[in-house]
Amino acid sequence: MYEVSSIFCSRKIACKSPYGAVPSGETVRLNIYPLRSAGILSAELLLTPDGSQAQTLPLHWNGYKGARDRYSIELPAGAPGLFWYCFCIHTEKETYYICRSSGGEGTVQDQPGSLFQMTVFDGNYAVAGWFGRGITYNIFPDRFCRTEIPPETGYRSERHVHHNWSDTPVYQPNAQGEILNNDFFGGSLKGVLSKLDYLESLHVQTIYFNPIFEAFSNHRYDTGDYQCIDPMMGTEEDFCTLCREAGKRGMRVILDGVFSHNGYDSRYFNARGHYDSVGAYQSKESPYFDWYDFSRWPDQYSSWWGIYTLPQVNEMNPKYLDYIITGADSVIRHWLKAGASGWRLDVADELPDAFIAKLNQAAREVKPDALVVGEVWEDASNKISYDVRRRYFQGGELDSVMNYPLRDGIMAYLTGSPAEDFAEKIECLRENYPRAMFYNLMNIIGTHDTPRAITALGARPDDWGASRDFRANHRLEGEALAHAKQLLKIAAILQFTMPGSPTIYYGDEAGQQGYEDPFNRRTYPWGEEDTELLSFYRTLCTVRSQNPALIDGELEFLEAKGAVLLYQRASEEERVLVTVNRGSEPVSYALEGAQEARDLFTGDGYADAEELVLELPPNSAQLYQLH
């Protein structure tokens, strides 16, 4: 056997060019470098288009590189899709395969093993790249801000309104064993409008709303009427005003589209008879009947994850397509014309590719730079759902996805996982995603579907197995809170310095705590903010907005070992270094290629004409501008 680390590495231009995902039709150059002493007779590329048979293509001897031979092949990238590959080497004595291992390195095996991935995409599709350049603020509408306490009357009788803004959301089941999510706090569009100065102080450029349409529940993922803003939130006129006023401040608005299912209590299904329509539950003659899949009408039907209040729809039904996408005043078109700049697609894994493509096309017809973001929790480039390989990034579907792999990597690293694992997770995405997508990701550390970031970082392992009553009432305090706050600051620095749009889940910046749903959906603590944490976030938002390298600079990991992580973002104008030490001991790092550094938080400068050495305190992260 010969050393494998230099035979092939998919992340090195000397081995694969161009780097990472490839536009369709572009020439790809692959080189392997076996030791000459191995006695190579021939070498081959085993290339498998996704879902097809493997092709065996000969590599050609192409000269020497030190003590190694170079075998090469050039081939045009085919139609958009995924291609899997490894190499086969025949020697005088044996046949080996060069397969993928960590870091994109090739490893020698007796049989084909893990394959390298090559993503081919439509290079003519231009993503809505404005999104990744700015900061996003994620608002759970009922819980961000209200201008008045909504009256109990005037809305559905099932709704309970909290008069105390700081109440704990209802989390106990009713007598029938159900948690109805029908308690409301009254957050509204006018409330958001009243806080635009606040959002501007955080340099927010995109407001992302969880659902705002009429629904039975407070989370509104059980849509009741796609054409109507929930009356407790306001009116369509209020929405237009908000979009207009936000636009004056350089902010855009994107909406949550819940299109794989809607509500049991909706204009379309109408199981409770609250609407004046004839719903599919009420009659087979309903204009909406074909939207649903009944196994036995009316009370046996497909529903999202078996939850009866969320009946699934047949997305490709022509009537449904017309209503949501293709019609002249479809849901997609209507709200873009009203002022929205894009859509986030709930459970994108459950929407057919053809549906997403039609939605994207309709959105672009209304606004050429309309954004379409998908909720995908894994690597979206190779995602399989319901036995189908998804085409999200191959052109004409998604402009971005929620970056859950980044969140998972940050949380794991800050709670004990080695820095090597974090760097590898990010590098896998960078290699697999088209560059425009990688720089357009929705970078999250918390959402309405996850525990609050500060709680996830500070909770004890036993907390998660404790009673719901415990998690409803428990708060981090004292040293535990101080430690969690410090970890949250490090998490935010990682989030804000990765390519993509750093997305703040409302209240995280103010120190709001909470375990799982509904405790992660508490109200924004107006007047009770953690002012020190909020000041930190304001500074971080300013740094992100004012340093071009953090917006579109290249990413390079310099050190990832144990508790220590260092990487830089470099543009033509500047270099920004990120240093993290989540360990308990200080670390010194000698910085090559720079004689001066300025701390972007404190403004302090450091200089050394020979070798600049930076001190990394324990449990800390710093940002430096390098010269």
Side-chain angles (χ1 to χ4, degrees), residues 112-403:
S114 296
L115 302 179
F116 296 95
Q117 174 183 323
M118 181 168 64
T119 305
V120 178
F121 63 96
D122 182 358
N124 294 318
Y125 177 74
V127 306
W130 53 264
F131 176 70
R133 301 185 64 82
I135 296 167
T136 299
Y137 196 85
N138 176 194
I139 292 177
F140 191 81
D142 186 57
R143 310 290 164 81
F144 178 60
C145 181
R146 68 184 181 191
T147 55
E148 61 182 0
I149 300 174
E152 294 279 358
T153 58
Y155 303 105
R156 298 187 176 200
S157 59
E158 301 88 352
R159 290 187 173 183
H160 164 66
V161 176
H162 292 269
H163 283 233
N164 183 355
W165 181 249
S166 301
D167 278 354
T168 298
V170 173
Y171 63 93
Q172 295 287 16
N174 61 15
Q176 289 72 44
E178 290 187 88
I179 299 176
L180 296 179
N181 293 304
N182 64 339
D183 61 315
F184 288 76
F185 286 81
S188 65
L189 295 175
K190 287 183 178 178
V192 177
L193 186 64
S194 72
K195 297 299 182 181
L196 288 182
D197 284 346
Y198 172 76
L199 297 180
E200 191 171 21
S201 77
L202 293 169
H203 297 269
V204 169
Q205 291 182 256
T206 303
I207 301 171
Y208 156 46
F209 280 108
N210 294 114
I212 64 173
F213 303 119
E214 183 176 334
F216 174 86
S217 71
N218 52 44
H219 55 69
R220 299 187 173 101
Y221 280 94
D222 54 336
T223 311
D225 189 340
Y226 292 104
Q227 295 180 315
C228 181
I229 304 288
D230 193 294
M232 189 176 282
M233 277 205 66
T235 65
E236 183 167 340
E237 182 181 356
D238 293 334
F239 178 75
C240 294
T241 300
L242 174 61
C243 291
R244 184 170 59 251
E245 293 302 313
K248 292 177 182 178
R249 300 166 185 258
M251 301 178 196
R252 304 191 192 217
V253 172
I254 63 173
L255 297 175
D256 214 329
V258 186
F259 301 129
S260 77
H261 56 272
N262 47 49
Y264 179 82
D265 187 2
S266 69
R267 178 170 297 283
Y268 321 105
F269 205 72
N270 207 12
R272 294 194 177 106
H274 283 157
Y275 288 86
D276 59 6
S277 62
V278 178
Y281 187 89
Q282 296 165 307
S283 172
K284 293 182 180 181
E285 303 303 315
S286 167
Y288 310 113
F289 182 80
D290 292 342
W291 288 17
Y292 304 97
D293 181 19
F294 288 95
S295 56
R296 189 183 72 188
W297 181 83
D299 54 2
Q300 291 185 11
Y301 48 88
S302 297
S303 60
W304 187 74
W305 284 43
I307 302 172
Y308 82 92
T309 56
L310 302 175
Q312 284 184 307
V313 298
N314 299 312
E315 295 95 344
M316 298 307 293
N317 176 270
K319 293 179 183 178
Y320 186 71
L321 283 173
D322 182 73
Y323 185 85
I324 298 294
I325 297 175
T326 58
D329 192 37
S330 67
V331 172
I332 293 299
R333 298 177 192 272
H334 181 91
W335 295 107
L336 289 173
K337 292 174 184 176
S341 292
W343 290 89
R344 177 264 192 189
L345 302 184
D346 184 56
V347 291
D349 297 344
E350 305 193 25
L351 300 172
D353 283 296
F355 181 89
I356 297 175
K358 287 179 180 294
L359 188 153
N360 182 298
Q361 180 181 357
R364 293 296 179 95
E365 288 172 359
V366 177
K367 291 185 176 179
D369 64 348
L371 175 77
V372 182
V373 181
E375 180 195 9
V376 182
W377 287 60
E378 304 85 8
D379 182 330
S381 71
N382 53 37
K383 170 74 178 182
I384 295 176
S385 60
Y386 298 96
D387 299 322
V388 175
R389 180 82 70 187
R390 306 312 301 267
R391 305 194 301 266
Y392 299 135
F393 287 171
Q394 294 169 26
E397 288 197 22
L398 298 180
D399 298 296
S400 174
V401 291
M402 301 177 75
N403 199 353

Side-chain angles (χ1 to χ4, degrees), residues 34 50 327 392 427 474 548:
D50 199 45
Y392 299 135
E427 290 288 40
H474 184 257

Side-chain angles (χ1 to χ4, degrees), residues 67-83:
R68 297 178 179 272
D69 289 315
R70 177 168 56 206
Y71 283 82
S72 306
I73 188 172
E74 293 187 357
L75 64 159
L82 294 188
F83 294 80

Side-chain angles (χ1 to χ4, degrees), residues 391-447:
R391 305 194 301 266
Y392 299 135
F393 287 171
Q394 294 169 26
E397 288 197 22
L398 298 180
D399 298 296
S400 174
V401 291
M402 301 177 75
N403 199 353
Y404 276 100
L406 172 64
R407 177 197 179 272
D408 295 345
I410 289 174
M411 294 299 167
Y413 167 55
L414 293 182
T415 54
S417 178
E420 294 93 325
D421 289 353
F422 175 81
E424 177 63 13
K425 185 179 289 285
I426 301 306
E427 290 288 40
C428 281
L429 297 183
R430 187 160 74 106
E431 183 177 13
N432 291 346
Y433 287 14
R435 187 184 190 279
M437 305 290 187
F438 186 66
Y439 278 71
N440 213 39
L441 294 171
M442 181 184 280
N443 289 342
I444 54 175
I445 58 173
T447 72

Side-chain angles (χ1 to χ4, degrees), residues 3 12 33 79 100 118 233 317 372 430 477 490 607 623:
E3 61 173 326
K12 293 181 179 178
Y33 300 90
R100 184 185 181 278
M118 181 168 64
M233 277 205 66
N317 176 270
V372 182
R430 187 160 74 106
E477 297 177 342
I490 298 174
L623 291 175

